[in-house]
Amino acid sequence: MTDPFGDGGYWIVADELTDEHGRVMRVLYECRYLVESGGGTAIVTERRWHDGEHASRDVEPID
């Protein structure tokens, strides 16, 4: 299990930003999880940079 943030999520590497020499400068991680609220369920896709900076969050209702 990859958990670079210590929050118990399963994070995968979604992207890497490199410099002009091909060295990795930033790593973007992605985690998907289910959320149930108000009688509905959604899949949340959260993205964070390696330093913990929030990149994006998408919510996809499934019912």
Side-chain angles (χ1 to χ4, degrees):
M1 175 185 245
T2 302
D3 185 9
F5 307 110
D7 62 4
Y10 180 74
W11 296 85
I12 61 167
V13 174
D15 198 8
E16 294 179 334
L17 298 181
T18 57
D19 67 9
E20 64 274 4
H21 303 291
R23 293 180 295 222
V24 175
M25 303 303 291
R26 294 191 89 185
V27 178
L28 182 65
Y29 288 95
E30 181 177 281
C31 180
R32 292 174 54 101
Y33 52 90
L34 286 175
V35 173
E36 295 182 26
S37 177
T41 305
I43 297 174
V44 176
T45 303
E46 184 175 347
R47 293 170 201 85
R48 288 187 210 166
W49 292 104
H50 68 280
D51 59 4
E53 179 185 344
H54 174 77
S56 66
R57 181 178 294 125
D58 299 324
V59 179
E60 190 178 324
I62 56 176
D63 68 356

